[in-house]
Amino acid sequence: MGSYLCRATRIAKTVSRRGPAFVESESELFADIDRKQSHGDISTKTAEAFIELYEFAKEIGDDVSIGEAKNANFQVRVDAHLGDYQNNPSVFTANVNGDLKIWPARMIMDNAPDFSVVEWDEEDYYEFERAFQSLKGVSPDTTTVQFETIGSDGDVDEFKAIVEEFVSTCREKAK
């Protein structure tokens, strides 16, 4: 009976997770994308969109970190967005089997009551939020969407333009 339980546990682990327990490096991120695509867990279009967005994040971000989760994921931070804020919110996060989120960018507004830690204005964030909500498949009252919605609908270029505008605004005001 013991070997049956061991085998059942191995099968359950295989079904719930293919590959390493956590994605912790860029090579593991790419391997997870390849694995998910080859097993049919994500479409080719979603895989390509995720890689394109990751490469964009490395270009525009001052820090891009892979979040040690079970799926390919990352977050992008920009110094001008953070200003003197003591915590570490990102401009956006992406998880290939989960969500694309811009709400971390708002954390400064929610947690710095005098808002003097950054040069950008609240309205700059709200413009970023409204532009995000204008993307196909994104609800008008949310700051989170399934990554596949953006990836499969081909709105990655539009999303990148929205991020570029917000980051550019933050950087311009920080000069």
Side-chain angles (χ1 to χ4, degrees):
M1 175 136 177
S3 69
Y4 173 77
L5 288 176
C6 262
R7 184 169 178 260
T9 301
R10 278 195 313 272
I11 290 169
K13 285 182 181 177
T14 303
V15 170
S16 65
R17 174 75 187 133
R18 293 185 173 112
F22 295 98
V23 175
E24 298 174 334
S25 68
E26 186 174 89
S27 63
E28 290 174 348
L29 180 136
F30 289 126
D32 189 59
I33 295 294
D34 288 343
R35 189 172 28 260
K36 284 178 172 41
Q37 184 180 354
S38 68
H39 285 100
D41 297 333
I42 60 173
S43 69
T44 299
K45 197 169 187 179
T46 296
E48 289 170 353
F50 189 83
I51 291 169
E52 180 183 343
L53 193 58
Y54 176 69
E55 294 298 332
F56 165 76
K58 291 190 320 182
E59 290 171 18
I60 199 166
D62 295 312
D63 178 46
V64 177
S65 61
I66 296 169
E68 299 179 5
K70 289 185 176 186
N71 299 301
N73 70 91
F74 65 90
Q75 56 185 333
V76 59
R77 291 181 197 86
V78 173
D79 294 341
H81 166 252
L82 294 170
D84 292 327
Y85 187 64
Q86 295 302 306
N87 289 324
N88 212 6
S90 56
V91 172
F92 72 91
T93 63
N95 182 318
V96 76
N97 277 77
D99 296 326
L100 177 65
K101 301 176 184 180
I102 65 162
W103 70 263
R106 182 190 164 96
M107 289 173 64
I108 295 168
M109 292 169 43
D110 293 340
N111 297 311
D114 63 0
F115 203 68
S116 63
V117 294
V118 293
E119 299 297 323
W120 50 272
D121 302 314
E122 277 185 83
E123 187 54 35
D124 298 327
Y125 170 78
Y126 288 124
E127 285 179 31
F128 178 47
E129 188 176 278
R130 284 189 298 273
F132 176 74
Q133 292 166 347
S134 73
L135 295 171
K136 186 174 18 170
V138 179
S139 298
D141 60 346
T142 190
T143 55
T144 301
V145 67
Q146 282 286 307
F147 183 81
E148 189 168 352
T149 300
I150 297 294
S152 64
D153 287 341
D155 281 344
V156 173
D157 288 336
E158 288 181 53
F159 179 72
K160 288 175 10 184
I162 291 165
V163 170
E164 280 180 309
E165 180 66 29
F166 180 63
V167 168
S168 175
T169 298
C170 291
R171 287 180 172 151
E172 187 60 38
K173 290 187 175 183
K175 288 182 180 179

